[in-house]
Structures are given as structure tokens and as C-alpha cells.
Amino acid sequence: MTSPASPRARRRATTVLRTGLGTVLALAAAGLVAVLVPLHWAEDTVVSQEGFTRTAGVLAEDAAFQEDLARAAVRRAVGTVLGERSSGIGFLDRIVADTARKAGDAAAGLSAQPAYQQAWRDALVRTHAANVPQDGGTPPKDLVLDVQPLLRAADAALQDALGRDLGLAEREGRLTVPGSGTGRMIETGTRLTDLAVPLTAAAVVLGVLALLVARHRFAVLGVLGLGSLAGLGLVWAAAQEAVRRISGPLGADPLVWLVSDRVLELLTHSLAERMAAAAWAAGITGAVGVAGAVVVSSVSRRRRRTTA
């Protein structure tokens, strides 16, 4: 003879099993969401040449930065040119140094001109192409900065200011940062962004299955939202650590540090905005899920008391 409690026990066991399975699926979906937010950002902002130049291109309108950049880049290039002709005689070498300083000051005055601002954008395009090959090739081992367009833009004006042709337009404007080790990170990041679409589909499927399987759907929705929020926090901490590791070797060269520090600042700010928007969405989803679960549980208890 079957016990009257058996059907109720089976229903309870089924409910626990469905809720547990829904929770596991929701946590898996939340983990994917936390990874997909920076992954889609990297695809749109770092791997994409258009996205990268759009993000860093705003520095073209930063007068203080462009003045410092023009002065540093041209002083370095002019110093190299004149240094090749160094005589070892004190007063002549001081003339060389003074010429490099005047050249840098003259270049700084060009930074507000549209042609120079376009040269900055061209430098970004060339720098991105040098570090993130669009044809699927292998990126260079270390970071490469290409400031050749800036030197070319300043060349004619410096001839007028100094009364001599320094030949900056023909100088090599590519700077490699030894020890930066960005190549492996860029290669890994590019491969991961290729998985963004299938991983997004997997996250959607897991989330939908979690809600369909679970009996207590509001509770699972809360797990999905709060799990995503916690995952985003962990990913943001990992991203900050990655930025710290990248920026460390870049401080040895003042010109490289000037450019990389501001560009990394813009990229980090862009990622923070994307992650903050996702965190708000996850938090709201989690709050709705928890509130709904509390309300449903309260209503269920009242019904049981009424029927009892």
C-alpha cells in the first residue's frame, strides 16, 4: 500500500532537483556573461582598428597632451639626427642640444593645427596595424609605436622655424618597447574574441534553460543576476591587474610612457563604462529575482495556511 506522503515527497524531491539544476545552469550563464562583457569590449575597441582609433582619437583635441607629445617626439628625433653629428666639443654639443629644444618647442606650436591632429589619427592607425595584424598574422613580441606621421607633419614647419632641413620626414618613426611582451597578450585576446559570438549564444541558451528547468524561477533569476554581478567584479579586478602588468615596462622611455599612459587610461575608462552598465543590469536583474522569490514564497505560505 502506497503511503499518502509519497507523492508529496516525490514532488518535493523533484522541486529540489529542478531548482538545483536551474541554479547550476544560471551560475554557468552568469560566468559566461562576466567574461563576455570584456570580450565584446575588446573586440569592439582593441581588436577593431576603427574602434581603437575612435577611442584614442579623442586625444587629438587634448591640447596639453599633444603639445607634450609633439615636443617629446620631435626633440627625440632631432636629437638623434644631430647626435649622429656630435663633435665631442662642448659648445658645439650645446648648440646641438639647443637646436633640439627649439625644434621641440616649434613642433608643440603645431599641435592645434588640423593637419597635425590628422597626423595623430594616422599614427594611431599605423600603431594599431603594427601591433594587431588584420590578416590573422602573428603580432610582434613587444609593443610598437609608430609616430612617423607626426614627424612628417612637423618637418616642413621646423624647416621654417630653424632655417635648416633636418630630414625628419625620412627618419624612422617606429619605436619598439623591449620587454613589454604585449604580443602574446594580443594574440591570445584576438583568439578569444573570435569565440565571442558562440559563447554569447551559449550564455543565452544556458540562461533560458535555467529558467525553464527551475520551479522557482525568480530565485534562479536572482542567482543569474547576482552571479553575473560577482563575476563582473572578479573580471574587473583581473583586468586592472593586467593593465598594471602591461604599463610596468612602458615607463622606461618618457615618450612611450607619455603615449601609452594616456591611451591605456582611455581604454580602461571605456572598459569601466561597459562593465558598469553590465553591472547595473546584473544588479537590477538580481534584485528583481530576489524580490520576486520572496513574494512568491510569502504567497505560497499563506495559501498553505489557508488550506490547512
Side-chain angles (χ1 to χ4, degrees):
M1 185 174 180
T2 305
S3 172
S6 295
R8 181 181 298 177
R10 284 197 295 270
R11 285 197 300 271
R12 185 174 298 172
T14 301
T15 298
V16 171
L17 179 62
R18 290 175 60 183
T19 301
L21 180 58
T23 300
V24 171
L25 291 172
L27 288 174
L32 285 177
V33 168
V35 172
L36 282 167
V37 172
L39 210 56
H40 279 291
W41 169 84
E43 184 179 30
D44 297 337
T45 311
V46 179
V47 177
S48 167
Q49 188 177 92
E50 181 181 355
F52 175 77
T53 54
R54 181 175 60 250
T55 302
V58 298
L59 289 175
E61 301 172 2
D62 187 332
F65 168 76
Q66 290 297 340
E67 286 182 8
D68 290 342
L69 174 61
R71 184 178 287 109
V74 172
R75 276 186 183 178
R76 177 173 179 148
V78 172
T80 301
V81 173
L82 298 179
E84 294 170 354
R85 308 169 190 174
S86 177
S87 63
I89 301 175
F91 81 92
L92 290 179
D93 289 343
R94 284 194 293 272
I95 293 175
V96 168
D98 186 58
T99 301
R101 180 187 59 79
K102 290 180 179 178
D105 293 341
L110 303 173
S111 58
Q113 297 182 8
Y116 183 88
Q117 294 178 359
Q118 181 58 48
W120 164 249
R121 297 185 182 93
D122 292 341
L124 289 176
V125 170
R126 292 173 62 132
T127 296
H128 186 276
N131 291 280
V132 188
Q134 298 298 302
D135 57 358
T138 302
K141 178 182 176 182
D142 294 317
L143 179 67
V144 176
L145 296 180
D146 194 331
V147 296
Q148 183 64 38
L150 301 179
L151 299 180
R152 191 181 301 118
D155 190 52
L158 290 179
Q159 290 185 41
D160 295 337
L162 301 177
R164 58 185 302 184
D165 182 8
L166 297 175
L168 294 185
E170 288 75 34
R171 301 296 298 182
E172 177 59 50
R174 290 167 63 98
L175 308 175
T176 300
V177 186
S180 54
T182 54
R184 180 178 300 178
M185 186 175 297
I186 291 173
E187 185 175 12
T188 302
T190 302
R191 290 178 179 175
L192 288 176
T193 56
D194 292 338
L195 300 175
V197 173
L199 288 178
T200 300
V204 171
V205 170
L206 288 172
V208 171
L209 285 176
L211 294 174
L212 291 177
V213 167
R215 183 175 178 83
H216 301 297
R217 293 190 174 93
F218 275 114
V220 169
L221 186 65
V223 170
L224 179 60
L226 296 179
S228 298
L229 185 61
L232 287 167
L234 293 174
V235 170
W236 173 244
Q240 288 184 307
E241 176 62 19
V243 170
R244 187 188 66 80
R245 290 187 178 183
I246 292 173
S247 61
L250 304 180
D253 187 307
L255 175 59
V256 173
W257 174 252
L258 175 65
V259 176
S260 61
D261 180 57
R262 292 303 308 276
V263 171
L264 281 174
E265 181 183 349
L266 286 173
L267 293 176
T268 304
H269 179 70
S270 173
L271 175 59
E273 288 183 335
R274 185 80 64 93
M275 303 255 323
W280 272 106
I284 292 172
T285 301
V288 169
V290 170
V294 170
V295 171
V296 170
S297 177
S298 177
V299 171
S300 298
R301 283 197 300 269
R302 289 176 185 172
R303 285 178 179 174
R304 285 196 296 269
R305 289 172 185 170
T306 302
T307 56

